[in-house]
Amino acid sequence: NMDAKTSKYLQQAGKYVRLGKLTLALEQYLKIHELEPEDTTILNNIGDLYVRLDDKENAMFWYTQLAESFSARELLSNAVATYKKILKLAPKNQEAIMQLAILFERQGQKANAKNFYQILAQQKMDLGEHNEASSLFQKACNLEPECSQSFLKLAQHLELQGKVEEAIRCYLQSA
């Protein structure tokens, strides 16, 4: 279903990649993207080329588009793999961590979801964003209400903020 123009650009791009002329290959892929904006392989190739060109910002921009495209089509494990590519480039990327938590939750992978909510909560704490941290710890708790460890973390966090009564409630729940 690909038109002649697209396949010409693709052949050209492939040739440039083989020759190691990545910037020229990228130009071809960007032209293909304009013709085939829904093609996830092209989005991925553009992201990969930016990585090879050591342009993290652009790579993350294209990977984010790719991940959102996968999410919209309910291709959740593809979306997960793509957000993990972003985390490789930027291990503290909050958007990617949050999306991973949400995607794992949608897939019913509670332990993984909880893990990513807690990672993000910890980051928010380090940044002094305590209300956001609390609500993320709370999300982690809600995923596994039987998990005392989550409530303990939330309790300690509330106590640090001087929210003693709420903290005591959580300590009791974790006990």
Side-chain angles (χ1 to χ4, degrees), residues 78-97:
N78 298 50
V80 165
T82 308
Y83 281 118
K84 284 183 172 173
K85 282 176 126 170
I86 293 172
L87 282 191
K88 247 186 165 151
L89 297 173
K92 292 196 165 206
N93 186 289
Q94 293 189 4
E95 183 56 25
I97 295 170

Side-chain angles (χ1 to χ4, degrees), residues 58-78:
N58 268 311
M60 287 177 358
F61 171 80
W62 288 91
Y63 285 151
T64 300
Q65 283 196 298
L66 177 61
E68 285 169 358
S69 169
F70 283 139
S71 286
R73 297 180 204 187
E74 293 296 313
L75 297 169
L76 303 187
S77 49
N78 298 50

Side-chain angles (χ1 to χ4, degrees), residues 137-173:
F137 278 127
Q138 187 66 59
K139 270 189 197 309
C141 289
N142 294 344
L143 278 174
E144 299 191 86
E146 67 287 349
C147 174
S148 58
Q149 195 54 42
S150 299
F151 280 101
L152 198 56
K153 281 189 177 167
L154 178 58
Q156 290 163 339
H157 177 64
L158 290 165
E159 192 179 1
L160 280 173
Q161 287 181 262
K163 297 182 177 174
V164 179
E165 278 160 42
E166 287 177 58
I168 290 169
R169 261 210 320 277
C170 285
Y171 279 124
L172 289 172
Q173 236 169 323

